């Protein structure tokens, strides 16, 4: 028989849940800064690829953080509904 995990956050998930909004906000801020740098470096053909690469990396991190946000919030809702 498959043992089902009790429906509650692990310590790691709890900490992540508490910090995820801030993590997402910080990543969005960083992407905005890179976008500004990209506009300013439009004709700097050495800097441009570095900035585009940085933006791509940040966007990937943001996408992953958003997926975690959805997962953690759905888990939080499930936990809350079980406690009723």
């Amino acid at each position: 028989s498959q043992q089902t995990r009790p429906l509650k956050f692990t310590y790691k998930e709890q900490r992540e849940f508490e910090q995820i909004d801030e993590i997402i906000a910080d990543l969005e801020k960083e992407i905005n800064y890179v976008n500004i740098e990209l506009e300013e470096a439009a004709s700097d053909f050495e800097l441009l690829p570095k900035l585009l690469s940085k933006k791509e990396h940040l966007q990937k991190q943001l996408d992953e953080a958003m997926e975690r946000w959805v997962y953690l919030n759905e888990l939080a809702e499930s936990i809350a509904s079980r406690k009723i």
Side-chain angles (χ1 to χ4, degrees):
S1 72
Q2 189 177 0
Q3 192 174 1
T4 55
R5 196 180 98 175
L7 200 58
K8 66 186 183 93
F9 279 133
T10 63
Y11 175 73
K12 186 175 176 285
E13 286 170 339
Q14 180 65 44
R15 284 189 53 81
E16 197 180 357
F17 182 65
E18 289 165 3
Q19 296 169 346
I20 196 83
D21 289 338
E22 197 177 325
I23 290 167
I24 288 169
D26 287 347
L27 284 166
E28 287 174 338
K29 239 185 273 176
E30 272 197 76
I31 289 170
N32 283 337
Y33 290 141
V34 173
N35 282 336
I36 292 165
E37 286 181 274
L38 278 167
E39 285 175 25
E40 291 171 357
S43 59
D44 186 335
F45 298 110
E46 251 180 63
L47 186 57
L48 214 51
K50 290 175 188 165
L51 289 172
L52 287 168
S53 174
K54 183 178 179 180
K55 183 181 176 179
E56 197 176 303
H57 178 71
L58 287 167
Q59 191 60 54
K60 189 171 180 280
Q61 283 184 292
L62 180 61
D63 292 345
E64 287 168 8
M66 296 295 266
E67 280 177 28
R68 286 300 289 169
W69 184 92
V70 170
Y71 167 77
L72 291 166
N73 278 279
E74 284 174 356
L75 182 57
E77 280 180 27
S78 297
I79 292 166
S81 67
R82 283 270 179 100
K83 286 181 179 170
I84 295 169

